[in-house]
Amino acid sequence: MKLPGHDTIARRAEERQLDIRIKLPRQDVVQPMHQVIRRLLMALGVLLVTVLIVYLDREGYHDNADESLDLLDCFYYATVTLSTTGYGDIVPHSDSARLINILLVTPLRVLFLIILVGTTLEVLTERTREEWRLSRWRSTLRYHTVVVGFGTKGRSALLTLRATGLKAEQVVVVDPSEKVIEAATADGFAGVVGDATRSEVLLRAEVHKAKQIIIATQRDDTAVLVALTARQLNRAAKIVAAVREEENAPLLRQSGADAVITSASAAGRLLGLSCLSPSAGTVMEDLIQQGSGLDLVERPVIKAEVGKSVRETEDLVVSVLRGHRLLGYDDPEASPLQLTDRLITIVRVSPSGRPPVETRPLPPV
């Protein structure tokens, strides 16, 4: 696989001059344009009420031009009065007209000004409020999950993690498509629009403070570049990536990925298994789907299990993780169990949707 050089990527990114934007999950707030339209309708309503009041008592007003008021004159007087222009060509001269101006028209004038000024202030403060939300989000975000690519693989990975208790506010999605990020924010996730091969994009996603990074891009070369950039920014985070071709998996591991899932070969093996035994394929689907039926999970060894063999545990143990070594259940070195071991087990999910003991789900296939 021939990968484009970093200089080429940087030059293309500079030529495109992509706009990096952060979008937080939607809240139940009215959009600025809707606020303006709503307040303009309110202002129009105040104007029409004022026109009606003046028209009903038009005999109490004096017009310097023709002394009598028609409907157009009433609209004109209401407009200049509410806007505090006050040319003085139409004035109330009767006691009733002056009293109505004091008791009704003046409060309507104040209300009219409040609506107009309030609209301007609300639109201006909306941006300030969003900037405050963004600043607070950045300051509180710690040990979160960054998902690069929100396609089928990225969505499925998040669905698995959410089934095991991951909160939506602890997820940041990075994708170059604005429509995809809008879909992510609609699901309650924060999103960053941009090319994840660029370090500035990943920094906007606070990847340097992330606990784990899931790379689910459409292209293998993009996944390699994202892994390289992410590993440079965060040496401690767990990076799990998916590639289409198995030959690219070693390169992705060299780029900093802790675990690499080959989507094409994994799907092919599942297809082959289903051909040999449809029931076995169904069981495997159940195992990799967290939150229902049987789950494949990782958990620590409890004190009661220390010194026992793998077969003496209550759970069905598949493998034993000892340090950086993964031992099979039938490996003689797997028994006896040690307190620092972790067990890869198959457990039945409780009715609440969680395994009966404290566990950690395995990365989704």
Side-chain angles (χ1 to χ4, degrees):
M1 180 180 65
K2 186 178 179 180
L3 296 175
H6 283 285
D7 293 338
T8 304
I9 293 295
R11 184 173 66 253
R12 290 178 181 175
E14 185 176 357
E15 290 174 355
R16 289 194 297 264
Q17 293 182 345
L18 293 176
D19 183 21
I20 306 172
R21 283 155 290 170
I22 301 177
K23 294 189 176 184
L24 297 182
R26 300 175 183 176
Q27 291 185 338
D28 295 331
V29 296
V30 182
Q31 297 298 322
M33 184 56 65
H34 295 166
Q35 296 174 358
V36 172
I37 295 175
R38 185 186 64 185
R39 289 180 177 269
L40 284 178
L41 292 176
M42 293 172 59
L44 180 61
V46 172
L47 175 63
L48 293 177
V49 171
T50 306
V51 171
L52 178 62
I53 292 174
V54 175
Y55 185 77
L56 293 177
D57 192 34
R58 59 187 180 277
E59 299 298 332
Y61 292 82
H62 177 75
D63 186 357
N64 294 334
D66 54 10
E67 296 187 353
S68 61
L69 268 68
D70 54 17
L71 184 60
L72 179 61
D73 295 329
C74 293
F75 268 99
Y76 168 76
Y77 175 77
T79 302
V80 298
T81 298
L82 293 179
S83 62
T84 67
T85 304
Y87 294 113
D89 47 351
I90 299 178
V91 295
H93 68 88
S94 67
D95 293 340
S96 62
R98 292 177 179 178
L99 185 61
I100 288 175
N101 265 262
I102 294 174
L103 299 178
L104 298 179
V105 177
T106 298
L108 288 174
R109 183 187 303 121
V110 174
L111 178 61
F112 185 82
L113 294 176
I114 290 175
I115 292 174
L116 295 184
V117 174
T119 301
T120 304
L121 291 177
E122 190 168 358
V123 172
L124 291 177
T125 55
E126 180 66 23
R127 183 173 181 179
T128 303
R129 189 181 70 87
E130 286 299 317
E131 290 179 351
W132 177 84
R133 283 187 65 208
L134 182 58
S135 176
R136 184 174 180 273
W137 172 76
R138 282 175 171 169
S139 62
T140 58
L141 194 64
R142 293 286 189 283
Y143 307 112
H144 57 289
T145 299
V146 176
V147 179
V148 180
F150 200 58
T152 302
K153 292 179 290 187
R155 289 174 182 267
S156 300
L158 276 181
L159 184 63
T160 299
L161 293 176
R162 290 298 308 279
T164 59
L166 180 66
K167 296 181 180 180
E169 55 266 25
Q170 285 296 109
V171 175
V172 181
V173 176
V174 182
D175 199 280
S177 173
E178 186 167 357
K179 291 184 178 180
V180 171
I181 294 300
E182 288 178 356
T185 56
D187 291 340
F189 308 125
V192 177
V193 181
D195 184 357
T197 61
R198 303 169 60 190
S199 58
E200 54 266 36
V201 174
L202 293 181
L203 286 174
R204 290 292 183 93
E206 303 293 321
V207 75
H208 53 289
K209 298 185 293 185
K211 178 181 179 182
Q212 52 194 9
I213 303 167
I214 299 174
I215 303 176
T217 57
Q218 297 297 323
R219 293 170 55 93
D220 289 359
D221 56 350
T222 303
V224 171
L225 291 175
V226 173
L228 281 170
T229 308
R231 183 54 76 196
Q232 290 176 354
L233 297 174
N234 192 330
R235 297 290 182 181
K238 182 177 182 180
I239 299 179
V240 179
V243 292
R244 291 178 177 271
E245 302 300 331
E246 193 168 358
E247 63 181 10
N248 297 325
L251 182 57
L252 199 52
R253 291 189 181 93
Q254 294 174 8
S255 302
D258 297 296
V260 180
I261 305 300
T262 308
S263 57
S265 60
R269 285 191 291 267
L270 189 57
L271 286 172
L273 179 61
S274 298
C275 287
L276 295 174
S277 173
S279 299
T282 302
V283 172
M284 286 301 300
E285 284 281 0
D286 185 21
L287 285 175
I288 64 177
Q289 183 177 359
Q290 293 289 327
S292 63
L294 299 176
D295 278 355
L296 193 62
V297 299
E298 177 184 327
R299 70 170 178 86
V301 172
I302 60 177
K303 291 183 179 180
E305 295 172 335
V306 175
K308 294 183 178 181
S309 68
V310 171
R311 299 182 183 276
E312 292 177 328
T313 60
E314 294 184 1
D315 296 334
L316 180 58
V317 177
V318 178
S319 299
V320 177
L321 181 60
R322 181 168 297 158
H324 296 287
R325 300 174 60 199
L326 188 63
L327 306 175
Y329 73 96
D330 56 348
D331 193 319
E333 297 184 22
S335 301
L337 295 175
Q338 302 176 11
L339 186 60
T340 56
D341 290 344
R342 297 190 67 88
L343 304 179
I344 311 299
T345 66
I346 297 176
V347 299
R348 179 172 294 279
V349 178
S350 63
S352 62
R354 297 287 182 87
V357 294
E358 182 182 358
T359 59
R360 186 174 68 189
L362 296 179
V365 177

